[in-house]
Amino acid sequence: RKDIRNMHDRWDRAGWVRLIKPGMAPVELCRFMTAYGGEIVHEVDITRAAPLLTGHCEFEVFIDTWVSPAWTVDVDLVFTPDDTGVVNPPRWSLGALFPDGGLTAEQPEATRSIVVPEGTRWVEIAAITTGHCTDGTDADEFISKDNVILVDGHEVYRWRPWRDDCRDFRAVNPYCAKWADGSWSSDYSRSGWCPGDVATPEFIDMSGVLTPGEHTVTWRVEDIRPQDDKGQHGYWRISAAVSG
């Protein structure tokens, strides 16, 4: 019988499923956070990446943990035809940004050049972002920060990722801690994520700025907590894919 003493990994961890295709940044299909020791099951719509799901496809699953043994993961890719005609998949899609190690105070932005195909009238960015800190206190996990998208050097979108519904997922977090004030670790609001749930993309309409041709897309997070004398710091895991 499992209990808090013999769980291999009872902490919440960041993870992803991403698609690797030549000539572009990886496309994050799903960002998820493991529960505090609990099993999680998710179903995610990845229609936005449909144009890339041809030919050879390489998929990568990652969970940021260092205990052994750790996690067992199963992934299924299910194609479901839409007979209603409601869902219109994009004509093209590409990975734009997925910086290794995320963004930090020392490297607060990532930039990539992309080419929008001729004849494109509608463009959307699927932006996934979550804030974290190496010591689990304050910024940037529990203090939200401005995320900014720039196109060709001009700011076009700004938002503060935040989740205040984490208490709804307490049932899938059986090994979280209960503090002296009666609060549970799983319940705290966080910068764009909750333990045991997926981090849903921010879908940003870029039709007016990402016109056909070459553009530079930049993602910046402001006021990230810098590294202190103990080496602790804040950081943001980000990814952006463009579809049209």
Coordinates of all heavy atoms in Angstrom, one line a residue, residues 55-138:
G55 N 4.0 12.5 -42.7 CA 5.4 12.1 -42.8 C 6.0 11.6 -41.5 O 5.2 11.1 -40.6
H56 N 7.3 11.6 -41.4 CA 7.9 11.2 -40.1 C 7.7 12.2 -39.0 O 8.0 13.4 -39.2 CB 9.4 11.0 -40.4 CG 10.2 10.6 -39.1 ND1 10.1 9.4 -38.5 CD2 11.0 11.4 -38.3 CE1 10.9 9.3 -37.5 NE2 11.4 10.5 -37.3
C57 N 7.2 11.8 -37.9 CA 7.0 12.6 -36.7 C 7.7 12.0 -35.5 O 7.6 10.8 -35.2 CB 5.5 12.7 -36.4 SG 4.5 13.6 -37.7
E58 N 8.4 12.9 -34.8 CA 9.1 12.5 -33.6 C 8.5 13.2 -32.4 O 8.3 14.4 -32.4 CB 10.6 12.8 -33.7 CG 11.4 12.5 -32.4 CD 12.8 12.9 -32.5 OE1 13.3 13.2 -33.6 OE2 13.5 12.9 -31.4
F59 N 8.1 12.4 -31.4 CA 7.4 12.9 -30.3 C 8.3 12.7 -29.0 O 8.9 11.7 -28.9 CB 6.1 12.2 -30.0 CG 5.1 12.5 -31.1 CD1 5.0 11.5 -32.2 CD2 4.2 13.6 -31.2 CE1 4.1 11.7 -33.2 CE2 3.3 13.8 -32.2 CZ 3.2 12.8 -33.2
E60 N 8.3 13.7 -28.2 CA 9.1 13.7 -27.0 C 8.2 13.9 -25.7 O 7.4 14.9 -25.7 CB 10.2 14.7 -27.0 CG 11.1 14.8 -25.8 CD 12.1 15.9 -25.8 OE1 11.7 17.0 -25.4 OE2 13.2 15.7 -26.3
V61 N 8.3 13.1 -24.7 CA 7.6 13.3 -23.5 C 8.7 13.5 -22.4 O 9.7 12.8 -22.3 CB 6.8 12.0 -23.1 CG1 6.1 12.3 -21.8 CG2 5.8 11.7 -24.2
F62 N 8.5 14.5 -21.6 CA 9.4 14.9 -20.6 C 8.7 15.3 -19.3 O 7.7 15.9 -19.3 CB 10.2 16.2 -21.1 CG 11.1 16.8 -20.0 CD1 12.3 16.3 -19.7 CD2 10.7 17.9 -19.3 CE1 13.2 16.9 -18.8 CE2 11.5 18.5 -18.3 CZ 12.7 18.0 -18.1
I63 N 9.3 14.8 -18.1 CA 8.9 15.2 -16.8 C 10.1 15.7 -16.0 O 11.1 14.9 -15.9 CB 8.1 14.1 -16.1 CG1 6.8 13.8 -16.8 CG2 7.8 14.5 -14.6 CD1 6.0 12.7 -16.2
D64 N 10.1 16.8 -15.5 CA 11.2 17.4 -14.8 C 11.4 16.8 -13.4 O 10.9 17.4 -12.4 CB 11.1 18.9 -14.8 CG 12.3 19.6 -14.2 OD1 13.3 18.9 -14.1 OD2 12.2 20.8 -13.9
T65 N 11.9 15.7 -13.3 CA 12.1 15.0 -12.0 C 13.5 14.4 -11.9 O 14.2 14.2 -12.9 CB 11.0 14.0 -11.8 OG1 11.2 13.5 -10.4 CG2 11.2 12.8 -12.7
W66 N 14.0 14.1 -10.7 CA 15.3 13.5 -10.5 C 15.3 12.4 -9.6 O 16.4 11.9 -9.1 CB 16.3 14.6 -10.0 CG 15.8 15.3 -8.8 CD1 16.0 15.0 -7.5 CD2 15.1 16.5 -8.8 NE1 15.4 15.9 -6.7 CE2 14.8 16.9 -7.4 CE3 14.6 17.4 -9.8 CZ2 14.1 18.0 -7.1 CZ3 13.9 18.5 -9.4 CH2 13.6 18.8 -8.1
V67 N 14.1 11.8 -9.3 CA 14.1 10.7 -8.4 C 14.0 9.4 -9.3 O 13.6 9.5 -10.5 CB 12.9 10.7 -7.5 CG1 13.0 11.9 -6.5 CG2 11.6 10.8 -8.3
S68 N 14.4 8.3 -8.8 CA 14.3 7.0 -9.6 C 13.9 5.9 -8.7 O 14.4 5.7 -7.6 CB 15.7 6.7 -10.2 OG 15.7 5.6 -10.9
P69 N 12.9 5.1 -9.1 CA 12.1 5.2 -10.4 C 11.2 6.4 -10.2 O 10.8 6.8 -9.1 CB 11.4 3.9 -10.5 CG 11.3 3.4 -9.1 CD 12.5 3.8 -8.4
A70 N 10.8 7.0 -11.4 CA 9.9 8.2 -11.3 C 8.5 7.9 -11.9 O 7.7 7.3 -11.2 CB 10.6 9.3 -12.1
W71 N 8.3 8.3 -13.1 CA 7.0 8.3 -13.7 C 6.9 7.4 -14.9 O 7.8 7.2 -15.7 CB 6.6 9.7 -14.1 CG 6.4 10.7 -13.0 CD1 7.4 11.5 -12.5 CD2 5.3 10.9 -12.2 NE1 7.0 12.2 -11.4 CE2 5.7 11.9 -11.2 CE3 4.0 10.4 -12.2 CZ2 4.8 12.4 -10.3 CZ3 3.1 10.9 -11.3 CH2 3.5 11.9 -10.3
T72 N 5.7 6.8 -15.1 CA 5.4 6.0 -16.3 C 4.3 6.8 -17.0 O 3.3 7.2 -16.5 CB 4.9 4.6 -15.9 OG1 5.9 3.9 -15.2 CG2 4.5 3.8 -17.2
V73 N 4.6 7.0 -18.3 CA 3.7 7.8 -19.1 C 3.2 7.1 -20.4 O 4.1 6.4 -21.1 CB 4.4 9.1 -19.6 CG1 3.5 10.0 -20.4 CG2 4.9 9.9 -18.4
D74 N 2.0 7.1 -20.7 CA 1.4 6.6 -21.9 C 0.8 7.7 -22.7 O 0.1 8.6 -22.1 CB 0.3 5.5 -21.6 CG 0.9 4.3 -21.0 OD1 1.9 3.8 -21.5 OD2 0.3 3.8 -20.0
V75 N 1.0 7.7 -24.0 CA 0.5 8.8 -24.9 C -0.1 8.1 -26.1 O 0.5 7.3 -26.7 CB 1.6 9.8 -25.3 CG1 1.0 10.8 -26.3 CG2 2.2 10.5 -24.2
D76 N -1.4 8.5 -26.4 CA -2.1 8.0 -27.6 C -2.4 9.2 -28.5 O -2.8 10.3 -28.0 CB -3.3 7.3 -27.2 CG -3.1 6.0 -26.5 OD1 -2.2 5.2 -27.0 OD2 -3.7 5.8 -25.4
L77 N -2.3 9.1 -29.8 CA -2.7 10.1 -30.7 C -3.9 9.6 -31.5 O -3.8 8.6 -32.2 CB -1.5 10.4 -31.7 CG -1.7 11.5 -32.7 CD1 -1.9 12.8 -32.0 CD2 -0.5 11.6 -33.7
V78 N -5.0 10.3 -31.3 CA -6.3 9.8 -31.8 C -6.8 10.8 -32.9 O -6.9 12.0 -32.6 CB -7.3 9.6 -30.7 CG1 -8.7 9.2 -31.3 CG2 -6.9 8.7 -29.7
F79 N -7.0 10.3 -34.1 CA -7.6 11.2 -35.2 C -9.1 10.9 -35.2 O -9.5 9.8 -35.4 CB -6.9 10.8 -36.5 CG -5.5 11.2 -36.6 CD1 -4.5 10.3 -36.2 CD2 -5.1 12.4 -37.2 CE1 -3.2 10.7 -36.3 CE2 -3.8 12.8 -37.3 CZ -2.8 11.9 -36.8
T80 N -9.8 12.0 -35.1 CA -11.3 12.0 -35.1 C -11.8 12.9 -36.2 O -11.7 14.1 -36.1 CB -11.9 12.4 -33.7 OG1 -11.3 11.6 -32.7 CG2 -13.4 12.2 -33.7
P81 N -12.5 12.4 -37.2 CA -13.0 13.2 -38.3 C -14.1 14.1 -37.7 O -14.9 13.6 -36.9 CB -13.5 12.2 -39.3 CG -13.7 11.0 -38.6 CD -12.7 10.9 -37.5
D82 N -14.2 15.3 -38.2 CA -15.3 16.2 -37.8 C -16.3 16.2 -38.9 O -16.1 16.9 -40.0 CB -14.7 17.6 -37.6 CG -15.8 18.6 -37.2 OD1 -16.8 18.2 -36.5 OD2 -15.8 19.7 -37.7
D83 N -17.4 15.5 -38.7 CA -18.4 15.5 -39.7 C -19.4 16.7 -39.7 O -20.2 16.8 -40.6 CB -19.3 14.2 -39.5 CG -18.4 12.9 -39.7 OD1 -17.5 13.0 -40.5 OD2 -18.7 11.9 -39.0
T84 N -19.2 17.5 -38.7 CA -20.1 18.7 -38.6 C -19.7 19.9 -39.4 O -20.4 20.8 -39.7 CB -20.3 19.1 -37.2 OG1 -19.0 19.6 -36.7 CG2 -20.7 17.9 -36.3
G85 N -18.4 19.9 -39.8 CA -17.8 21.0 -40.5 C -17.5 22.2 -39.6 O -17.2 23.3 -40.1
V86 N -17.7 22.1 -38.3 CA -17.5 23.2 -37.4 C -16.0 23.5 -37.2 O -15.5 24.6 -37.2 CB -18.1 22.9 -36.0 CG1 -17.7 23.9 -35.0 CG2 -19.6 22.7 -36.1
V87 N -15.2 22.4 -37.1 CA -13.7 22.6 -36.9 C -13.0 22.7 -38.2 O -13.1 21.9 -39.1 CB -13.1 21.4 -36.1 CG1 -11.6 21.6 -36.0 CG2 -13.8 21.3 -34.8
N88 N -12.3 23.8 -38.4 CA -11.5 24.1 -39.6 C -10.0 24.1 -39.2 O -9.6 25.1 -38.7 CB -11.9 25.4 -40.3 CG -13.3 25.4 -40.8 OD1 -13.7 24.5 -41.5 ND2 -14.1 26.5 -40.5
P89 N -9.3 23.0 -39.5 CA -7.9 23.0 -39.1 C -7.1 24.0 -40.0 O -7.5 24.3 -41.1 CB -7.5 21.5 -39.5 CG -8.5 21.1 -40.5 CD -9.8 21.8 -40.2
P90 N -6.0 24.5 -39.4 CA -5.2 25.5 -40.2 C -4.6 24.8 -41.4 O -4.4 23.6 -41.5 CB -4.2 25.9 -39.1 CG -4.1 24.7 -38.2 CD -5.5 24.2 -38.1
R91 N -4.2 25.7 -42.4 CA -3.6 25.2 -43.6 C -2.1 24.9 -43.3 O -1.5 24.1 -44.0 CB -3.7 26.2 -44.7 CG -5.1 26.4 -45.2 CD -5.1 27.3 -46.4 NE -4.6 28.6 -46.2 CZ -3.4 29.0 -46.7 NH1 -2.7 28.2 -47.5 NH2 -3.0 30.2 -46.5
W92 N -1.5 25.6 -42.4 CA -0.1 25.4 -42.1 C 0.1 25.7 -40.6 O -0.7 26.4 -39.9 CB 0.8 26.3 -42.9 CG 0.5 27.8 -42.8 CD1 -0.3 28.5 -43.6 CD2 1.1 28.7 -41.8 NE1 -0.4 29.8 -43.1 CE2 0.5 30.0 -42.1 CE3 2.0 28.6 -40.8 CZ2 0.8 31.1 -41.3 CZ3 2.3 29.7 -40.0 CH2 1.7 31.0 -40.3
S93 N 1.2 25.2 -40.1 CA 1.6 25.4 -38.7 C 3.1 25.3 -38.5 O 3.7 24.5 -39.2 CB 0.8 24.4 -37.8 OG 1.1 24.6 -36.4
L94 N 3.6 26.0 -37.6 CA 5.1 25.8 -37.3 C 5.4 26.2 -35.9 O 4.8 27.0 -35.3 CB 5.9 26.7 -38.3 CG 5.7 28.2 -38.3 CD1 6.6 28.9 -37.3 CD2 5.9 28.8 -39.7
G95 N 6.5 25.6 -35.4 CA 7.0 25.9 -34.1 C 7.9 27.2 -34.1 O 8.7 27.3 -35.0
A96 N 7.6 28.1 -33.2 CA 8.3 29.4 -33.3 C 9.3 29.5 -32.1 O 10.5 29.9 -32.3 CB 7.3 30.6 -33.2
L97 N 8.9 29.2 -30.9 CA 9.7 29.4 -29.7 C 9.6 28.3 -28.8 O 8.5 27.9 -28.4 CB 9.4 30.8 -29.0 CG 9.6 32.1 -29.8 CD1 8.9 33.2 -29.0 CD2 11.1 32.3 -30.0
F98 N 10.7 27.8 -28.3 CA 10.7 26.8 -27.2 C 12.2 26.8 -26.6 O 12.9 25.9 -26.8 CB 10.4 25.4 -27.7 CG 9.9 24.5 -26.6 CD1 8.7 23.7 -26.8 CD2 10.5 24.4 -25.4 CE1 8.2 22.9 -25.9 CE2 10.0 23.6 -24.4 CZ 8.9 22.8 -24.6
P99 N 12.5 27.9 -25.9 CA 13.9 28.1 -25.5 C 14.3 27.0 -24.4 O 13.5 26.8 -23.4 CB 14.0 29.5 -24.9 CG 12.5 29.8 -24.5 CD 11.7 29.1 -25.5
D100 N 15.4 26.4 -24.5 CA 15.9 25.4 -23.5 C 16.1 26.2 -22.2 O 16.7 27.2 -22.2 CB 17.2 24.8 -24.0 CG 17.0 23.9 -25.2 OD1 15.9 23.4 -25.4 OD2 18.0 23.6 -25.9
G101 N 15.6 25.6 -21.1 CA 15.8 26.2 -19.8 C 14.8 27.3 -19.5 O 14.8 27.9 -18.4
G102 N 14.0 27.7 -20.5 CA 13.0 28.8 -20.2 C 13.6 30.2 -20.2 O 14.8 30.4 -20.7
L103 N 12.9 31.1 -19.6 CA 13.4 32.5 -19.5 C 13.7 32.8 -18.1 O 13.0 32.4 -17.1 CB 12.3 33.5 -20.0 CG 11.9 33.3 -21.5 CD1 10.8 34.4 -21.8 CD2 13.0 33.4 -22.4
T104 N 14.8 33.5 -17.9 CA 15.3 33.9 -16.5 C 15.6 35.4 -16.5 O 15.5 36.1 -17.5 CB 16.6 33.2 -16.2 OG1 17.6 33.5 -17.1 CG2 16.4 31.7 -16.3
A105 N 15.9 35.9 -15.3 CA 16.3 37.3 -15.2 C 17.5 37.7 -16.1 O 17.6 38.8 -16.6 CB 16.5 37.7 -13.8
E106 N 18.4 36.7 -16.2 CA 19.6 37.0 -17.0 C 19.3 36.9 -18.5 O 20.0 37.5 -19.4 CB 20.7 36.0 -16.7 CG 21.3 36.1 -15.3 CD 20.3 35.8 -14.2 OE1 19.5 34.9 -14.4 OE2 20.4 36.4 -13.1
Q107 N 18.3 36.1 -18.9 CA 17.9 35.9 -20.3 C 16.3 36.0 -20.3 O 15.6 35.0 -20.4 CB 18.4 34.6 -20.8 CG 18.1 34.4 -22.3 CD 18.9 35.4 -23.2 OE1 20.1 35.6 -23.0 NE2 18.2 36.0 -24.1
P108 N 15.8 37.2 -20.3 CA 14.3 37.3 -20.1 C 13.5 37.3 -21.4 O 12.3 37.4 -21.3 CB 14.2 38.7 -19.5 CG 15.3 39.5 -20.0 CD 16.5 38.5 -20.2
E109 N 14.1 37.1 -22.5 CA 13.4 37.0 -23.8 C 14.0 36.1 -24.8 O 15.1 35.7 -24.7 CB 13.3 38.4 -24.4 CG 14.6 39.0 -24.9 CD 14.3 40.4 -25.5 OE1 13.5 41.2 -25.0 OE2 15.0 40.7 -26.5
A110 N 13.1 35.6 -25.7 CA 13.5 34.7 -26.8 C 13.0 35.3 -28.1 O 11.9 35.8 -28.1 CB 13.0 33.3 -26.5
T111 N 13.8 35.1 -29.1 CA 13.4 35.7 -30.4 C 13.6 34.7 -31.5 O 14.5 33.9 -31.5 CB 14.3 37.0 -30.7 OG1 14.0 37.9 -29.7 CG2 13.9 37.5 -32.1
R112 N 12.7 34.7 -32.5 CA 12.8 33.8 -33.6 C 12.2 34.5 -34.9 O 11.2 35.2 -34.8 CB 12.0 32.5 -33.3 CG 12.0 31.5 -34.4 CD 13.3 30.7 -34.4 NE 13.2 29.6 -35.4 CZ 13.4 28.3 -35.0 NH1 13.7 28.0 -33.8 NH2 13.4 27.4 -36.0
S113 N 12.9 34.3 -36.0 CA 12.3 34.7 -37.3 C 11.4 33.6 -37.9 O 11.8 32.5 -37.9 CB 13.5 35.0 -38.3 OG 14.2 36.2 -37.8
I114 N 10.3 34.1 -38.4 CA 9.3 33.1 -39.0 C 8.9 33.7 -40.4 O 9.0 34.9 -40.6 CB 8.1 32.8 -38.2 CG1 7.3 34.1 -38.0 CG2 8.5 32.3 -36.8 CD1 5.9 33.9 -37.4
V115 N 8.4 32.8 -41.3 CA 7.9 33.2 -42.6 C 6.5 32.8 -42.7 O 6.1 31.6 -42.6 CB 8.7 32.6 -43.7 CG1 8.1 33.0 -45.1 CG2 10.2 33.1 -43.6
V116 N 5.6 33.8 -42.9 CA 4.2 33.6 -43.1 C 3.9 33.3 -44.5 O 4.3 34.2 -45.4 CB 3.3 34.7 -42.5 CG1 1.8 34.5 -42.8 CG2 3.6 35.0 -41.1
P117 N 3.3 32.2 -44.9 CA 3.1 31.9 -46.4 C 2.2 32.9 -47.1 O 1.3 33.5 -46.5 CB 2.4 30.5 -46.3 CG 2.8 29.9 -45.0 CD 2.9 31.1 -44.1
E118 N 2.5 33.1 -48.4 CA 1.6 34.0 -49.2 C 0.2 33.4 -49.2 O 0.0 32.2 -49.1 CB 2.2 34.0 -50.6 CG 3.5 34.8 -50.7 CD 3.4 36.2 -50.3 OE1 2.3 36.8 -50.6 OE2 4.4 36.8 -49.8
G119 N -0.7 34.4 -49.2 CA -2.1 34.0 -49.3 C -2.8 33.8 -47.9 O -4.0 33.6 -47.8
T120 N -2.0 33.9 -46.8 CA -2.5 33.8 -45.5 C -3.3 35.0 -45.1 O -2.8 36.1 -45.2 CB -1.3 33.5 -44.5 OG1 -0.6 32.4 -44.8 CG2 -1.9 33.4 -43.1
R121 N -4.5 34.8 -44.6 CA -5.4 35.8 -44.1 C -5.6 35.8 -42.6 O -6.0 36.8 -42.0 CB -6.7 35.8 -44.9 CG -6.6 36.0 -46.4 CD -8.0 36.0 -47.0 NE -7.9 36.2 -48.4 CZ -9.0 36.3 -49.2 NH1 -10.2 36.1 -48.7 NH2 -8.9 36.5 -50.5
W122 N -5.4 34.6 -42.0 CA -5.6 34.5 -40.6 C -4.4 33.8 -40.0 O -3.9 32.8 -40.5 CB -6.9 33.7 -40.4 CG -7.1 33.2 -38.9 CD1 -7.6 33.9 -37.9 CD2 -6.7 31.9 -38.4 NE1 -7.6 33.1 -36.8 CE2 -7.0 31.9 -37.0 CE3 -6.0 30.8 -38.9 CZ2 -6.8 30.8 -36.2 CZ3 -5.8 29.7 -38.1 CH2 -6.2 29.7 -36.7
V123 N -3.9 34.4 -38.9 CA -2.8 33.8 -38.2 C -3.0 33.9 -36.7 O -3.6 34.9 -36.1 CB -1.5 34.7 -38.4 CG1 -0.3 34.0 -37.7 CG2 -1.2 34.7 -39.9
E124 N -2.7 32.8 -36.0 CA -2.9 32.7 -34.6 C -1.6 32.1 -33.9 O -1.0 31.2 -34.4 CB -4.0 31.8 -34.3 CG -4.4 31.6 -32.8 CD -5.6 30.7 -32.6 OE1 -5.4 29.5 -32.8 OE2 -6.7 31.2 -32.3
I125 N -1.3 32.7 -32.7 CA -0.2 32.1 -31.9 C -0.8 31.4 -30.8 O -1.7 31.9 -30.1 CB 0.8 33.2 -31.4 CG1 1.6 33.8 -32.6 CG2 1.7 32.7 -30.3 CD1 2.6 34.8 -32.1
A126 N -0.3 30.1 -30.5 CA -0.7 29.4 -29.3 C 0.5 29.5 -28.4 O 1.5 28.9 -28.6 CB -1.0 27.9 -29.7
A127 N 0.3 30.3 -27.3 CA 1.4 30.6 -26.4 C 1.1 29.8 -25.1 O 0.0 30.0 -24.4 CB 1.4 32.1 -26.1
I128 N 2.1 29.0 -24.6 CA 1.9 28.3 -23.4 C 3.0 28.8 -22.4 O 4.2 28.8 -22.8 CB 2.1 26.8 -23.6 CG1 1.1 26.3 -24.6 CG2 2.0 26.1 -22.2 CD1 1.2 24.8 -24.9
T129 N 2.6 29.3 -21.2 CA 3.6 29.9 -20.3 C 3.2 29.6 -18.9 O 2.1 29.6 -18.5 CB 3.7 31.4 -20.5 OG1 4.6 32.0 -19.6 CG2 2.3 32.1 -20.4
T130 N 4.2 29.2 -18.1 CA 4.0 28.9 -16.6 C 5.2 29.5 -15.9 O 6.4 29.3 -16.3 CB 3.8 27.4 -16.4 OG1 4.9 26.7 -16.9 CG2 2.5 26.9 -16.9
G131 N 4.9 30.1 -14.7 CA 6.0 30.7 -13.9 C 6.4 29.7 -12.8 O 5.5 29.1 -12.2
H132 N 7.7 29.7 -12.5 CA 8.2 28.8 -11.5 C 9.3 29.4 -10.7 O 9.8 30.5 -11.0 CB 8.8 27.5 -12.1 CG 7.8 26.8 -13.1 ND1 6.9 25.8 -12.6 CD2 7.5 27.1 -14.4 CE1 6.2 25.5 -13.7 NE2 6.5 26.2 -14.7
C133 N 9.8 28.8 -9.6 CA 10.9 29.2 -8.9 C 11.7 28.0 -8.3 O 11.1 27.0 -8.1 CB 10.6 30.2 -7.8 SG 9.3 29.6 -6.7
T134 N 13.0 28.1 -8.2 CA 13.8 26.9 -7.8 C 13.6 26.5 -6.4 O 13.9 25.4 -6.0 CB 15.3 27.2 -8.1 OG1 15.6 28.4 -7.4 CG2 15.5 27.4 -9.6
D135 N 13.1 27.4 -5.5 CA 13.0 27.1 -4.1 C 11.5 27.0 -3.6 O 11.2 26.9 -2.4 CB 13.7 28.1 -3.2 CG 13.4 29.5 -3.5 OD1 12.5 29.8 -4.3 OD2 13.9 30.4 -2.8
G136 N 10.6 27.2 -4.6 CA 9.1 27.0 -4.2 C 8.6 28.1 -3.4 O 7.5 27.9 -2.7
T137 N 9.2 29.3 -3.4 CA 8.6 30.4 -2.6 C 8.5 31.6 -3.5 O 9.3 31.9 -4.3 CB 9.5 30.7 -1.4 OG1 10.8 31.1 -1.8 CG2 9.6 29.5 -0.5
D138 N 7.4 32.3 -3.3 CA 7.1 33.6 -3.9 C 7.3 33.6 -5.4 O 6.9 32.7 -6.1 CB 8.0 34.7 -3.2 CG 7.6 34.9 -1.8 OD1 6.4 34.7 -1.5 OD2 8.5 35.3 -1.0

